[in-house]
Amino acid sequence: MLTNIRWLKAILLGVLTLVTIVACNSQPEVETNQNAANAPAADLSQLEFGVGPYFPTPNENRNQFEPLFEELAEQVNLPAKVIVTEDWIGISEALRSRTLDVAWLGPWGYVLANHNEPSIEAIATVKYKGKPTYYSVLMARADAPFDTLEEAIAQSQAGEKLKLSLADVGSTSGWLIPTAEFERRGIDPKEVFDYSEGASHAAQAIAVMSGQVDIASDYDRNLDVLASEGRIDTSNLKIIWQSEPLPNDPIAIRGGLPEDIKTELQNSLVNLSPQQTQELLPENYTGFVASDGSNYEPIREAGKLVGKLE
């Protein structure tokens, strides 16, 4: 009997010892995971910024946007790494995969990225000539035998199809908004026109003026840039359709970026002085307004209309 009692005590003592060891070993692991989830901003070694193909070449893009990104990084005491992508989808995918921390996106790129990864947030919308909005346009040569989109559609349906060029499918003004407009009219542009898509914005006006296409999509800001650089003469073009005002480009951040970094970036953007905007931003960009993403609802609605969003 005494032997059985001793045997039972030994088992109980072993179980208590095992529980104590497991508890002691588990506690640091829980603390480590919590610390990782709330990693301070100081744990970031740099801020990685991205920007899409706004200007004709990657070097031009870098020269135009790098000063702003470097200033923003300096405000949070981190070095900046700037990545220039050659397509609109790439920049939103990089933000979604968290290979970028901050990105200057097109509105459609932001909406797609946020739709696929809701933790991606817009923190500011850029102002152009004092306004946080811009326009998508369809343009033709000034001497084209039609003045409106309605006339162009009628001409293309009645005879030889007109050549229509839309930009790449990641572009808000160059693809999404014109495609949504055709959808509203109950028209399939691939049937009505000799249709192509995928062109860069920089090539669209040139293609129209050179006679490669009859109609091309673009946005008013880009035409301003091309004209100011002497690349096009806008008197050789005419706008045959213009959208309703669209929200300008957002600055967006990836999910998981520390809250203090997010707040400081937003404050820095919104509080840029007029002198700073002249020094840090491309021509005619005049600062930022704060955004929580709600101003991009018209873009979401267009995405639903063309069947790209549920």
Side-chain angles (χ1 to χ4, degrees):
M1 181 69 175
L2 182 61
T3 300
N4 289 340
I5 292 173
R6 288 174 178 171
W7 176 78
L8 183 58
K9 286 182 176 178
I11 291 176
L12 290 173
L13 179 62
V15 170
L16 288 172
T17 302
L18 179 60
V19 169
T20 301
I21 291 171
V22 170
C24 291
N25 287 342
S26 299
Q27 189 64 27
E29 184 178 348
V30 172
E31 291 178 351
T32 300
N33 288 341
Q34 289 175 341
N35 289 339
N38 298 294
D43 287 352
L44 290 172
S45 61
Q46 63 182 3
L47 273 186
E48 298 200 19
F49 295 85
V51 64
Y54 288 92
F55 289 85
T57 69
N59 280 341
E60 287 178 88
N61 251 6
R62 183 175 297 278
N63 291 338
Q64 292 286 347
F65 293 101
E66 197 167 50
L68 173 67
F69 295 148
E70 289 180 343
E71 174 66 21
L72 292 176
E74 185 176 333
Q75 294 302 310
V76 294
N77 299 313
L78 289 170
K81 179 179 179 182
V82 179
I83 296 172
V84 176
T85 67
E86 296 187 6
D87 63 85
W88 299 96
I89 296 296
I91 190 75
S92 59
E93 283 299 310
L95 194 65
R96 187 162 73 94
S97 66
R98 301 193 179 189
T99 55
L100 291 176
D101 299 307
V102 186
W104 185 314
L105 292 170
W108 179 223
Y110 161 68
V111 168
L112 282 173
N114 174 259
H115 179 76
N116 293 322
E117 179 49 70
S119 66
I120 292 172
E121 298 180 65
I123 60 172
T125 296
V126 71
K127 293 188 292 185
Y128 187 81
K129 294 183 177 179
K131 296 181 180 179
T133 55
Y134 76 116
Y135 296 92
S136 168
V137 300
L138 291 173
M139 58 188 165
R141 282 172 57 105
D143 59 359
F146 49 85
D147 295 316
T148 66
L149 180 55
E150 290 80 7
E151 292 176 1
I153 290 170
Q155 180 174 326
S156 194
Q157 289 175 323
E160 184 178 351
K161 290 183 178 180
L162 298 175
K163 294 180 180 179
L164 168 68
S165 171
L166 299 189
D168 80 65
V169 296
S171 170
T172 310
S173 58
W175 186 87
L176 174 67
I177 299 302
T179 301
E181 178 63 22
F182 286 121
E183 185 68 26
R184 288 187 192 97
R185 293 169 181 253
I187 289 172
D188 183 349
K190 295 179 181 179
E191 293 182 359
V192 173
F193 297 98
D194 181 356
Y195 178 90
S196 63
E197 64 184 33
S200 69
H201 279 284
Q204 290 285 72
I206 303 299
V208 170
M209 291 194 303
S210 65
Q212 297 175 56
V213 300
D214 300 298
I215 305 166
S217 61
D218 207 346
Y219 59 109
D220 60 334
R221 299 193 326 248
N222 188 56
L223 293 176
D224 282 354
V225 170
L226 294 176
S228 69
E229 293 178 347
R231 299 188 187 205
I232 65 169
D233 180 350
T234 53
S235 67
N236 294 325
L237 297 170
K238 62 182 171 184
I239 305 303
I240 65 168
W241 174 83
Q242 178 173 287
S243 71
E244 294 296 317
L246 304 169
N248 267 336
D249 307 330
I251 301 294
I253 59 170
R254 65 168 173 82
L257 197 67
E259 192 67 23
D260 58 337
I261 295 285
K262 168 190 168 181
T263 300
E264 186 58 45
L265 289 174
Q266 186 177 57
N267 289 339
S268 297
L269 288 164
V270 172
N271 293 318
L272 287 174
S273 69
Q275 181 179 348
Q276 285 177 308
T277 61
Q278 288 185 352
E279 294 172 351
L280 301 176
L281 296 176
E283 185 179 5
N284 292 323
Y285 288 87
T286 51
F288 294 86
V289 295
S291 172
D292 61 2
S294 60
N295 55 321
Y296 294 93
E297 189 58 31
I299 310 303
R300 293 186 184 91
E301 291 303 316
K304 294 175 183 177
L305 187 59
V306 302
K308 293 296 184 180
L309 298 179
E310 296 179 358

